[in-house]
């Protein structure tokens, strides 16, 4: 059965479309998530679409990483686009604040970058702070402010700056790719896999450098776990963020996990779900995986003419969203390039089960 609604919302002369879709998923141990709607967000040739779900699962931010990108915010429940703003340059990352609907955006145009902090209130995005950066900045919220990397100063050092407070620390070399924060930790990952770790609170405050598996970081909503991975590898480092420091728990090799007869070649993106579950994409499909039990819960294969490059999840695991990268000469994937999935038990509660 195909649901009947579709919503057009024209922004800056370009239409964004949200359409409810029929169910489409492949399961191994019972269906967990079902697709409830998709959206078409315009992007330029070979653009990568970024996605971020607000922690409360009410809003989905979407952006295309290209020279003419726009930043869009959707209502998760019904797929309606609430607002959009033009971007000065390609958007690299999107991050909602853990305790609000504030949104942190990094941009890079190949020469210089920037970090922007938005407030999202009553369906409208308002720019609160904007700072320029030399190079491609990594950034993360710290309380009501944010930290970001820059390239100003000594060519062999990269400042880590706390906005409006000045230099927080100095990182060796360039190429710091990803930053995350929790109540206790700030972690910044370098392209070669080393990580700068600053314990912000607690009895064992420390500053150290650790070796992690990849240059991209994700944290669980409760701040208990950290995942490190690289888009060139099928492996995921799972690390516990404890009072005594970082403790490596497991290394997941997704290439050894056969899901729906398809073997993973690399990890494109991942997001934590509650407990010890996470969802990851390899460019073709989404896999919901319990790394503690070493068990696949579900495999989802969204249909679109593109590469599945991004995924995000709400803090309660109720929603998962994905985004596709445009391929070849096409300005965007044919069909809808953003997909929203909802947990099946929540569909039953809402009375939407067939």
């Amino acid at each position: 059965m195909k649901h009947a609604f579709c919503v057009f919302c024209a922004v800056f002369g370009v239409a964004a479309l949200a359409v409810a879709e029929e169910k489409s998923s492949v399961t191994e141990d019972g269906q967990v998530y079902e697709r409830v709607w998709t959206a078409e967000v315009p992007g330029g040739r070979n653009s990568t679409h970024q996605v971020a779900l607000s922690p409360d699962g009410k809003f989905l931010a979407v952006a295309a990483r290209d020279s003419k990108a726009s930043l869009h915010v959707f209502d998760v429940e019904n797929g309606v686009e609430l607002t959009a703003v033009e971007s000065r340059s390609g958007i690299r990352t999107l991050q909602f604040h853990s305790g609000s609907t504030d949104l942190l955006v990094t941009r890079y145009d190949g020469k210089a970058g920037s970090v922007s902090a938005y407030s999202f209130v009553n369906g409208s995005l308002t720019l609160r702070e904007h700072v320029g950066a030399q190079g491609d900045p990594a950034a993360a919220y710290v309380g009501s402010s944010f930290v970001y990397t820059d390239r100003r100063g000594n060519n062999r050092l990269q400042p880590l700056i706390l906005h409006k407070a000045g230099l927080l620390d100095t990182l060796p070399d360039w190429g710091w790719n990803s930053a995350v924060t929790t109540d206790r930790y700030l972690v910044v990952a370098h392209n070669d896999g080393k990580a700068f770790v600053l314990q912000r609170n607690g009895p064992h405050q420390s500053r150290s450098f650790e070796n992690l598996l990849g240059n991209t970081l994700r944290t669980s909503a409760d701040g208990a776990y950290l995942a490190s991975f690289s888009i060139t590898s099928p492996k995921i480092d799972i690390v516990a963020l404890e009072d005594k420091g970082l403790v490596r728990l497991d290394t997941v090799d997704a290439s050894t996990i056969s899901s729906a007869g398809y073997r993973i070649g690399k990890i494109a993106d991942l997001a934590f779900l509650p407990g010890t579950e996470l969802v990851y994409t390899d460019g073709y499909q989404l896999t919901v995986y319990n790394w503690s039990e070493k068990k696949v819960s579900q495999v989802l294969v969204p249909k679109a003419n593109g590469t599945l490059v991004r995924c995000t999840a709400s803090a309660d695991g109720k929603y998962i969203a994905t985004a596709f990268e445009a391929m070849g000469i096409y300005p965007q994937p044919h069909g809808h390039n953003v997909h929203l999935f909802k947990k099946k038990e929540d569909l039953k509660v809402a009375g939407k089960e067939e």
Side-chain angles (χ1 to χ4, degrees):
M1 181 184 77
K2 185 168 289 190
H3 300 275
F5 79 86
C6 65
V7 180
F8 286 90
C9 183
V11 182
F12 306 115
V14 180
L17 171 67
V19 180
E21 287 282 337
E22 62 187 12
K23 302 168 188 177
S24 174
S25 61
V26 181
T27 65
E28 292 193 0
D29 295 315
Q31 204 169 54
V32 179
Y33 288 90
E34 293 178 351
R35 185 171 58 187
V36 290
W37 58 263
T38 67
E40 185 175 327
V41 177
R45 185 176 300 173
N46 293 321
S47 64
T48 298
H49 286 76
Q50 311 292 327
V51 287
L53 276 163
S54 60
D56 60 9
K58 293 182 178 180
F59 306 106
L60 174 65
V62 183
R65 181 188 175 184
D66 67 359
S67 61
K68 296 181 180 179
S70 294
L71 173 60
H72 308 254
V73 179
F74 289 85
D75 184 301
V76 165
E77 187 62 29
N78 55 30
V80 172
E81 183 179 13
L82 300 173
T83 189
V85 296
E86 289 181 319
S87 174
R88 297 183 181 90
S89 58
I91 293 176
R92 280 273 286 122
T93 62
L94 300 174
Q95 178 190 143
F96 274 103
H97 191 282
S98 62
S100 70
T101 54
D102 288 351
L103 188 64
L104 194 65
V105 177
T106 65
R107 296 178 174 87
Y108 183 57
D109 62 7
K111 296 179 181 180
S114 65
V115 184
S116 301
Y118 292 89
S119 292
F120 179 69
V121 180
N122 297 325
S124 178
L125 280 167
T126 302
L127 181 63
R128 291 194 302 107
E129 306 285 350
H130 179 82
V131 296
Q134 294 183 4
D136 189 0
Y141 275 114
V142 176
S144 59
S145 187
F146 57 87
V147 297
Y148 64 98
T149 60
D150 206 342
R151 285 188 177 178
R152 293 181 174 88
N154 190 310
N155 287 343
R156 298 292 301 167
L157 300 174
Q158 189 162 17
L160 180 64
I161 298 169
L162 179 61
H163 182 53
K164 291 189 174 180
L167 183 68
L168 180 65
D169 217 306
T170 302
L171 307 177
D173 304 322
W174 289 352
W176 293 89
N177 183 72
S178 179
V180 294
T181 57
T182 68
D183 289 342
R184 292 179 292 182
Y185 283 96
L186 163 65
V187 185
V188 189
H190 192 273
N191 283 330
D192 68 5
K194 68 174 175 281
F196 169 77
V197 181
L198 179 66
Q199 189 166 1
R200 300 168 52 211
N201 300 304
H204 306 289
Q205 292 189 18
S206 63
R207 172 190 184 277
S208 64
F209 289 90
E210 308 283 346
N211 289 320
L212 295 178
L213 198 62
N215 63 1
T216 305
L217 306 174
R218 300 286 184 265
T219 56
S220 59
D222 59 6
Y225 302 117
L226 171 77
S228 166
F229 65 98
S230 174
I231 62 171
T232 60
S233 169
K235 295 183 178 180
I236 306 167
D237 243 356
I238 306 293
V239 178
L241 299 173
E242 300 183 355
D243 285 339
K244 60 183 178 182
L246 273 62
V247 179
R248 182 175 277 101
L249 300 177
D250 195 10
T251 298
V252 176
D253 187 348
S255 66
T256 66
I257 302 170
S258 179
S259 50
Y262 180 80
R263 291 194 176 274
I264 306 296
K266 63 179 182 179
I267 300 296
D269 201 3
L270 69 81
F272 277 99
L273 299 171
T276 57
E277 279 196 322
L278 51 81
V279 56
Y280 60 82
T281 174
D282 67 318
Y284 170 70
Q285 64 187 12
L286 283 166
T287 300
V288 180
Y289 183 71
N290 190 312
W291 54 265
S292 178
E293 299 178 4
K294 302 187 184 306
K295 178 181 177 183
V296 173
S297 300
Q298 184 178 19
V299 181
L300 300 141
V301 188
K303 295 179 180 179
N305 183 17
T307 303
L308 184 58
V309 292
R310 294 290 179 265
C311 63
T312 179
S314 57
D316 60 3
K318 183 177 179 179
Y319 294 104
I320 295 172
T322 65
F324 288 81
E325 179 180 24
M327 294 179 66
I329 63 173
Y330 300 110
Q332 61 191 35
H334 293 303
H336 303 113
N337 47 28
V338 177
H339 295 217
L340 193 285
F341 297 86
K342 190 173 184 180
K343 205 167 187 179
K344 190 175 181 182
E345 62 189 49
D346 294 310
L347 286 169
K348 288 181 179 180
V349 169
K352 297 182 180 180
E353 182 68 286
E354 290 189 71

